Structure formats: structure tokens, C-alpha cells
């Protein structure tokens, strides 16, 4: 992805700080870092995964999300020496992967941490080479263990570049997130065996929330399958696909916007004609990024009477992952006509 993440040279100089900082942490029986109060230190690339970890870990974990403001773009985030220190103290690390937050791999490599790393994209059915997860339930058992990639044991930092044709925005796929949450519960239980039952109970509660999201998406699909949406970037496509909606966006348009490139004039004209056709029910724009072409599409949609929704890449302040997704689904449903 052309929007490369740059890790400042200052990270190399931060190694002394990292070593000094580690002296203040204690090591549990698994060798993972823990705070002086015994809580597991979880570090997530964004507050999406930080919120999920907090829901599973409860008061037995301390969670740090490196990116937590919707004013920040994870694609272009520049990691700092402070971030490296944070990673060095982690007992569990959660990243999106797929080239989305590659600054995490640079930080992991720079610290040499041996903390387990959960990479969310590896739990997606669409991830190249991923084995299928059970579609029947989200229970963590022997069958699921066999199908779940072990991010802690097989984490290759060099293989997480953007994959052509793969949509890395997997947090908009509730089914994938159920498996990510399941793995978080499993890893926390390995690190903190005394809390294993609590993590599994919290996961069960979270999974019930995911079931509610999937039921709402199924309701939309039952009533609106085949209706068309236009997305300026591929961020929400897992969600719209689960709702049975058809993506009417010219691929060259969303690819150019996502990569920060100018949309070719012919592609822009094609996009505007699609909006004028009357076939599109909803336009979804990325509230955190955009440009002249995105604005032009949003203006054209409004002129044509098409509702325009703004979706973000991070959990908005005051929301949780579940309430955020529920609101996105509700907003989407409200724009569709029978």
C-alpha cells in the first residue's frame, strides 16, 4: 500500500530507554510482562482491538492502544520511542496485520519481544491460506484450536505487507472479530491461568453481542439483498456484504482513494454516472480520510437524494466495539428502502 508507515530513526536510539523501562516490569510464569499490580499488559495497534481486549480481560488487564484518536490515520502513523517502550513491556500484543498497521511489526522487531502476537487478518475466511473456522458457533474448543492460526508461535513479521486483492479492514467483519476475541481469551488464559475462567466468561458475553450484530445483518439481508451501495474506500465492505448488499463502486475509484492517489477522470465520471442512475441506495465515506473526489461523490449523492453515511476506522469516543458496530448497522439499515 503506497501509504507506507515510517518508523523514525529515533527508535534505534530508544533501545536504552526500553531496556531501562523493562526493569520496572515483573515477569509472570509465562515470561510475559506484567505490571507491578499483576495485571496483564495488553498493547493493541488501535482502540478497536484495545476495546475488545478490555472487554475480554476486564479488570485483570491493563490495555494500551497506540492509536486511539479518529484524527489519526493508522495507514500513515509514525511510531515513536514511547511506542517502542510500550511494546517492550507488553504481555500480549494485538495487531490488525495485512499491511494496515505495519508499524507494529517494526516495533516488535525493534524490541525483540517474545510476547504472543495476535494478528487479526489471519482469522478472516478471506485471508490467503487461512483455514476455515466453524460457522456454527464461536465456542473455543479442540476443533477451533486446530483451525485457528497460532499467531504466537508462527508470527512472521515480513509477511504482513498489503496483499493484493485482500481487504485488510477485517474489524468490519463481526464473524472474524468473534474468532479474534476467542483467541484473546485463549492467550490471556495461557498468560494468566488464574483468570482463565473469567476470560472465557467475558468472551461468552462478547460473543453474544457479536451474535446480535450478525442477527441484525441477517435481517437487513432478508429485506434488502441486492440493493447497491457505493463506498469511497473498501473499509466497510465486509459489513455491507454480510448485509447482502452489492458494491457498485468502480474498483479503480476505491483503490485510488485508499492509496491516496488521484482518481482517473474517466473513473470519476463513471462513479458520478452510477450515482445519477438511481440504482444506489447508500453512499459510505471514510470519515478519517478523503479528498476532492470523495467530496465530489458525497455532494453528487446528496444532490441525487442518496443518503451519505460516515464510517470511521477507530472506535469513537464513548463507544465500545459492539455499540459502534450496532450503530453502524442501524444507520445502514435506516438508509435502505424496501
Amino acid at each position: 500500500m503506497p501509504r507506507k508507515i515510517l518508523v523514525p530513526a529515533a527508535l534505534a536510539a530508544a533501545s536504552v530507554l526500553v531496556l531501562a523501562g523493562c526493569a520496572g516490569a515483573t515477569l509472570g510464569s509465562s515470561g510475559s510482562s506484567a505490571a507491578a499490580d499483576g495485571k496483564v499488559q495488553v498493547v493493541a495497534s488501535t482502540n478497536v482491538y484495545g476495546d475488545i481486549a478490555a472487554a475480554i480481560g476486564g479488570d485483570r488487564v491493563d490495555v494500551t492502544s497506540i492509536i486511539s484518536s479518529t484524527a489519526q490515520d493508522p495507514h500513515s502513523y509514525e511510531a515513536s520511542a514511547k511506542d517502542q517502550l510500550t511494546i517492550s513491556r507488553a504481555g500480549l500484543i494485538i495487531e490488525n496485520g495485512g499491511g494496515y498497521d505495519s508499524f507494529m511489526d517494526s516495533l516488535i522487531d525493534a524490541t525483540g519481544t517474545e510476547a504472543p502476537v495476535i494478528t487479526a487478518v489471519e482469522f478472516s475466511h478471506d485471508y490467503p491460506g487461512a483455514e476455515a473456522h466453524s460457522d456454527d458457533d464461536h465456542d473455543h474448543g479442540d476443533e477451533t484450536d486446530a483451525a485457528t492460526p497460532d499467531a504466537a508461535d508462527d508470527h512472521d513479521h515480513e509477511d504482513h505487507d498489503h496483499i493484493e486483492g485482500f481487504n485488510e479492514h477485517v474489524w468490519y467483519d463481526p464473524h472474524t472479530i468473534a474468532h479474534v476475541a476467542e483467541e484473546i481469551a485463549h492467550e490471556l488464559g495461557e498468560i494468566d491461568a488464574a483468570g482463565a475462567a473469567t476470560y472465557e466468561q467475558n468472551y461468552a458475553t462478547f460473543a453474544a453481542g457479536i451474535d446480535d450484530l450478525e442477527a441484525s445483518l441477517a435481517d437487513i439481508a432478508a429485506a434488502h439483498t441486492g440493493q447497491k451501495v457505493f463506498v469511497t474506500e473498501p473499509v466497510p465492505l465486509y459489513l455491507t456484504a454480510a448485509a447482502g448488499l452489492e458494491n457498485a463502486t468502480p474498483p479503480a475509484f476505491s483503490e485510488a482513494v485508499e492509496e491516496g492517489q488521484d482518481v482517473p477522470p474517466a473513473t470519476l465520471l463513471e462513479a458520478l454516472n452510477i450515482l445519477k442512475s438511481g440504482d444506489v441506495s447508500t453512499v459510505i465515506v471514510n470519515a478519517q480520510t478523503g479528498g476532492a473526489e470523495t467530496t465530489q461523490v458525497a455532494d453528487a449523492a446528496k444532490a441525487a437524494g442518496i443518503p451519505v453515511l460516515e464510517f470511521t476506522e477507530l472506535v469513537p469516543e464513548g463507544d465500545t466495539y459492539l455499540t459502534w458496530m450496532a450503530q453502524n448497522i442501524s444507520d445502514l439499515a435506516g438508509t435502505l428502502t424496501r
Side-chain angles (χ1 to χ4, degrees):
M1 182 179 297
R3 291 191 287 186
K4 293 294 185 183
I5 289 80
L6 302 177
V7 179
L11 288 183
S15 58
V16 174
L17 291 175
V18 169
L19 291 175
C22 287
T26 59
L27 295 178
S29 59
S30 66
S32 300
S33 296
D37 59 6
K39 294 185 178 183
V40 180
Q41 300 299 292
V42 181
V43 178
S45 61
T46 73
N47 71 351
V48 174
Y49 299 109
D51 177 80
I52 297 167
I56 304 303
D59 60 9
R60 299 186 71 90
V61 303
D62 282 331
V63 179
T64 301
S65 299
I66 291 180
I67 299 178
S68 58
S69 170
T70 54
Q72 296 174 300
D73 181 2
H75 289 287
S76 57
Y77 182 74
E78 294 189 8
S80 67
K82 180 181 178 182
D83 295 331
Q84 184 175 346
L85 183 59
T86 299
I87 288 289
S88 75
R89 292 172 168 170
L92 177 64
I93 298 169
I94 311 169
E95 63 177 1
N96 185 80
Y100 179 75
D101 48 8
S102 56
F103 65 88
M104 290 291 287
D105 288 325
S106 298
L107 290 169
I108 291 166
D109 288 339
T111 62
T113 179
E114 295 183 0
V117 179
I118 296 174
T119 303
V121 296
E122 295 176 0
F123 295 83
S124 168
H125 289 288
D126 293 340
Y127 188 72
E131 297 181 38
H133 298 286
S134 169
D135 289 323
D136 298 329
D137 55 56
H138 305 308
D139 291 339
H140 193 89
D142 293 339
E143 178 180 355
T144 307
D145 283 345
T148 300
D150 192 336
D153 295 336
D154 187 20
H155 186 73
D156 186 347
H157 306 310
E158 296 181 358
D159 290 338
H160 291 165
D161 291 336
H162 179 69
I163 300 170
E164 189 69 28
F166 173 71
N167 181 2
E168 69 270 24
H169 306 98
V170 295
W171 64 91
Y172 268 100
D173 178 7
H175 193 76
T176 293
I177 289 302
H179 291 296
V180 173
E182 183 179 48
E183 185 66 8
I184 292 172
H186 173 70
E187 288 293 349
L188 287 176
E190 290 290 308
I191 296 167
D192 172 27
T198 297
Y199 301 136
E200 288 299 327
Q201 182 177 1
N202 289 345
Y203 165 71
T205 300
F206 183 85
I210 291 290
D211 288 341
D212 289 342
L213 296 180
E214 292 186 318
S216 296
L217 290 167
D219 288 342
I220 296 176
H224 303 289
T225 290
Q227 288 195 27
K228 296 180 179 180
V229 295
F230 187 107
V231 298
T232 56
E233 292 189 49
V235 173
L237 286 180
Y238 286 113
L239 200 72
T240 58
L245 306 177
E246 180 182 336
N247 178 22
T249 316
F253 183 96
S254 55
E255 289 170 6
V257 173
E258 183 183 27
E259 294 174 2
Q261 301 175 353
D262 292 336
V263 177
T267 301
L268 179 59
L269 179 60
E270 179 186 2
L272 295 176
N273 285 336
I274 289 172
L275 296 176
K276 292 177 182 177
S277 70
D279 294 335
V280 173
S281 297
T282 310
V283 170
I284 304 175
V285 302
N286 186 342
Q288 292 180 234
T289 62
E293 294 93 348
T294 297
T295 300
Q296 194 168 350
V297 161
D299 289 344
K302 292 173 183 177
I306 303 171
V308 177
L309 298 178
E310 290 188 344
F311 281 10
T312 62
E313 298 183 41
L314 298 171
V315 179
E317 185 176 356
D319 272 322
T320 66
Y321 174 81
L322 292 175
T323 62
W324 174 45
M325 281 298 133
Q327 187 62 56
N328 287 333
I329 293 170
S330 176
D331 290 345
L332 180 61
T335 66
L336 303 173
T337 57
R338 296 186 181 275

